[in-house]
Amino acid sequence: MLDDTLEDTERIHYICKLMFEAFQIPVFVLDASQTKEHQLPMSFESRPLTKDTSRMLAEIINTADDGGISDNPSSLPIIRTTQFLENYIILRLPNEHLEATTLVIGPSLYAPLTEDNAASLMRDNNIPLKLQDQWLQYYSSLTVLNRMRLYHAAMLLYSLVTGKALSISDLLLDTRPLEPTPHTSDSLDLNVSYRRENTWLHHDPMLEKDMFRHIKNGNKAELLRVQATFTEEQFGLLSKKSHLRSKKNLAIASITLATRAAIDGGLFWEVAYTLSDFHIQHIEELKDIPSVDRAQLAALCDFADHVKDNRKTKLSRTASLCQNYIFNHLYEELSLDKMAEVAGLNGSYLSQLFKKETGIAISDYIQRERIEEAKRLMEVHGIPLSDIATRLHFNDQSYFTKVFKKYTGTTPKEFRNNRGNTL
C-alpha cells in the first residue's frame, strides 16, 4: 500500500501515473457525474468523429454490465470491449471518500489491426470508407496488450487501489453475468435439437484439447483460465468480407466442439444439442463483435455448468444410460422390459440396481419425469390439460391429476393458474 499520509486524490493520481507508465495506455479518472477530472496523457485523442471523450467514456461505463457498476461500490475490475474492438478496464473505487469515482484505463487492442480487418470492421459498423485512413491512423496509435496482459493490468490496478490480491479466476468468475443465457431450463426442454458441424480455430491443438477437457469435466474455473490464454492472432479468419461474420463462425465452431465435449462428459445428448441450438441462434442475432465474444464464452461456461450439475448424481453408466433413454423417449410407451433391453440386463437386476443408485424405482422415476415435463408444457399457452395427459401416456385425466398432486402437492389446474399469476 502507498503511504497513508497521502491524500486520497493524490494517491489515485499516483496510481494512474504508475499504470500509464507501466502499460502506456491512457488513464482517466471520472467524477460522480462521469466527467473527466484527470487524464494521462493530456494529449489523448479519441476515436474519429468523437467530440466528447467524457460522454464516450460514460457510455462505456454504463454498458459495462447489466446492473451498472455504480450500484456496486466494491465491484471487481470490468474488462469492456467496444464494437470497435477497443479494450477498457473499468474500476469503481471502493474508498468511502471517493465512492463516486471511477477509473477507466484504455483504449488498447488485443492485436494489431490489419488494413483488411479495419476495412471489414468499418463495413460492420457502417463507417464510410473515405474515413478508412483516419481510422487506420487511430488504430495504429493504440497500445497492443494481449488478453492475458490486459487481465494482469486489471489485477494490478485492483491491488494498487485496494491493497488486496486478485487472481485471474477471481476476475473471470466475478458475479456479473458474462452474457444473458439465450434459453431457460423450460425452453431448453421444450425445443428440439439439431446437429451442427463446423470447423475450429487455427492454433495449437493441445490448447484446444485442454479447454474442452475442462468442459468435459465440468470445470468452469479452469475453462476460463485456459480460454484467457488465447490471443487474437491465433484465431482463424472465416470471412473475408466481414469481421463480425468471421467471429460468429468461430463462435459456432467452438460451440460445436463444446457440445461433443459435454456429451463425452455425460450430459444427455439431447440436452447438449439443444443447448448448442440456443447458443448458436443467439449468436446469429448479435450485431457487434464484443457481444459475440461474450456470448461465446457464456456458451462454453453453460456447457461446463450443465456437465457439473449432471455429474453430481455420480451414477453408473447403466443407470445413466437408462435415464438418458427415458429422457429421449418420454412421449413413448416405457416399461421395465424396454429398459432391460436397452441396458442389456435382466429386468429384475436392473430394477434393483437403478433403485439402489437413484433411490427411486424405474416406474416412479418415469412418472416423476413425465410430471416435470407436464409442468413445462403448462408454460405453453393453449395446450389443454387433457392433451398434456394423453401425450404423456396417463390413462385418464383423474389419474393424471392424482399423480401430478403426488409429486407437486397441487392439481394441474391449480398449478397452471398459480403460474399464470406469477408470469
Side-chain angles (χ1 to χ4, degrees):
M1 291 288 289
L2 298 174
D3 190 338
D4 292 336
T5 60
L6 289 174
E7 294 293 335
D8 288 326
T9 299
E10 294 175 341
R11 185 171 69 88
I12 293 304
H13 287 186
Y14 182 71
I15 290 174
C16 291
K17 182 174 182 290
L18 289 178
M19 294 298 297
F20 173 68
E21 292 182 348
F23 296 97
Q24 291 298 299
I25 304 178
V27 180
F28 304 90
V29 180
L30 277 64
D31 61 19
S33 62
Q34 296 186 340
T35 300
K36 285 188 304 176
E37 65 120 43
H38 181 68
Q39 76 172 51
L40 291 171
M42 298 303 295
S43 60
F44 171 76
E45 292 187 11
S46 187
R47 69 168 76 122
L49 305 181
T50 299
K51 297 180 180 179
D52 188 341
T53 303
S54 291
R55 182 176 179 181
M56 180 195 73
L57 294 173
E59 290 175 354
I60 292 170
I61 292 172
N62 292 333
T63 57
D65 72 9
D66 293 334
I69 64 172
S70 60
D71 298 329
N72 185 3
S74 60
S75 62
L76 299 182
I78 298 173
I79 306 295
R80 176 66 178 172
T81 302
T82 71
Q83 66 192 77
F84 301 104
L85 301 188
E86 305 151 306
N87 299 317
Y88 289 87
I89 300 170
I90 303 169
L91 179 64
R92 171 69 183 274
L93 299 186
N95 189 299
E96 59 181 0
H97 301 298
L98 296 167
E99 60 181 13
T101 303
T102 304
L103 295 185
V104 181
I105 300 182
S108 66
L109 296 173
Y110 281 140
L113 206 63
T114 66
E115 187 171 338
D116 288 341
N117 284 343
S120 65
L121 188 62
M122 292 175 66
R123 285 193 295 270
D124 290 338
N125 289 284
N126 298 315
I127 298 173
L129 285 177
K130 64 182 181 181
L131 298 177
Q132 181 168 339
D133 289 342
Q134 191 175 353
W135 276 87
L136 282 174
Q137 183 177 357
Y138 168 67
Y139 281 123
S140 66
S141 70
L142 299 184
T143 298
V144 174
L145 285 184
N146 64 34
R147 194 183 307 273
M148 188 60 74
R149 285 200 67 206
L150 189 68
Y151 290 163
H152 285 157
M155 292 157 59
L156 176 61
L157 175 64
Y158 180 81
S159 295
L160 288 173
V161 170
T162 67
K164 301 177 182 178
L166 179 65
S167 69
I168 288 182
S169 294
D170 292 333
L171 180 65
L172 297 180
L173 287 174
D174 189 14
T175 55
R176 288 181 298 272
L178 294 164
E179 183 78 9
T181 303
H183 66 83
T184 63
S185 296
D186 292 339
S187 62
L188 172 62
D189 291 320
L190 286 170
N191 281 268
V192 187
S193 64
Y194 301 94
R195 183 168 180 168
R196 314 284 187 177
E197 294 288 349
N198 290 280
T199 57
W200 179 233
L201 315 175
H202 304 297
H203 53 256
D204 185 347
M206 294 307 296
L207 188 62
E208 169 194 311
K209 289 181 180 179
D210 197 27
M211 184 169 73
F212 289 105
R213 175 171 58 84
H214 295 312
I215 292 178
K216 179 180 177 180
N217 294 332
N219 191 336
K220 183 167 70 174
E222 284 301 300
L223 162 67
L224 288 169
R225 183 189 62 78
V226 173
Q227 196 276 340
T229 65
F230 281 79
T231 62
E232 283 298 308
E233 303 97 296
Q234 292 176 310
F235 295 153
L237 182 64
L238 299 187
S239 173
K240 293 182 178 179
K241 295 183 178 181
S242 170
H243 204 53
L244 176 61
R245 182 67 259 170
S246 180
K247 279 285 189 178
K248 286 185 176 183
N249 290 345
L250 289 168
I252 291 170
S254 69
I255 290 172
T256 299
L257 290 183
T259 304
R260 305 313 190 260
I263 293 173
D264 289 343
L267 189 63
F268 292 168
W269 56 262
E270 187 70 17
V271 173
Y273 287 136
T274 305
L275 276 177
S276 170
D277 287 346
F278 277 120
H279 283 292
I280 290 175
Q281 290 163 11
H282 175 59
I283 284 172
E284 284 292 353
E285 295 174 354
L286 300 176
K287 304 299 183 183
D288 60 82
I289 290 172
S291 296
V292 173
D293 287 339
R294 293 194 298 272
Q296 177 186 354
L297 187 55
L300 300 183
C301 290
D302 199 12
F303 279 108
D305 284 340
H306 272 79
V307 171
K308 180 181 179 180
D309 291 341
N310 189 63
R311 285 191 164 196
K312 289 179 180 178
T313 57
K314 297 181 180 179
L315 299 179
S316 68
R317 182 182 180 279
T318 299
S320 295
L321 179 65
C322 289
Q323 286 189 346
N324 192 74
Y325 187 87
I326 292 169
F327 180 85
N328 291 334
H329 299 272
L330 204 58
Y331 289 86
E332 304 172 19
E333 288 286 355
L334 291 168
S335 65
L336 178 59
D337 290 340
K338 185 63 179 179
M339 294 296 99
E341 180 183 343
V342 170
L345 296 174
N346 173 272
S348 178
Y349 176 72
L350 175 63
S351 180
Q352 295 175 16
L353 175 66
F354 190 91
K355 186 169 184 178
K356 179 180 179 181
E357 292 194 24
T358 66
I360 185 173
I362 288 181
S363 58
D364 291 336
Y365 178 83
I366 293 172
Q367 271 195 349
R368 189 184 71 184
E369 291 302 297
R370 281 179 169 157
I371 294 302
E372 289 300 311
E373 186 73 0
K375 288 162 60 178
R376 287 186 281 268
L377 291 177
M378 288 179 193
E379 302 287 345
V380 182
H381 298 291
I383 304 181
L385 295 177
S386 58
D387 285 357
I388 294 175
T390 300
R391 289 164 66 175
L392 292 172
H393 295 273
F394 289 98
N395 296 334
D396 53 50
Q397 186 66 38
S398 61
Y399 179 62
F400 173 54
T401 299
K402 178 182 178 181
V403 177
F404 192 94
K405 192 169 184 179
K406 172 185 175 182
Y407 287 102
T408 67
T410 184
T411 67
K413 186 176 181 180
E414 291 170 342
F415 179 85
R416 172 170 269 179
N417 289 340
N418 290 337
R419 290 295 294 170
N421 292 333
T422 60
L423 293 178

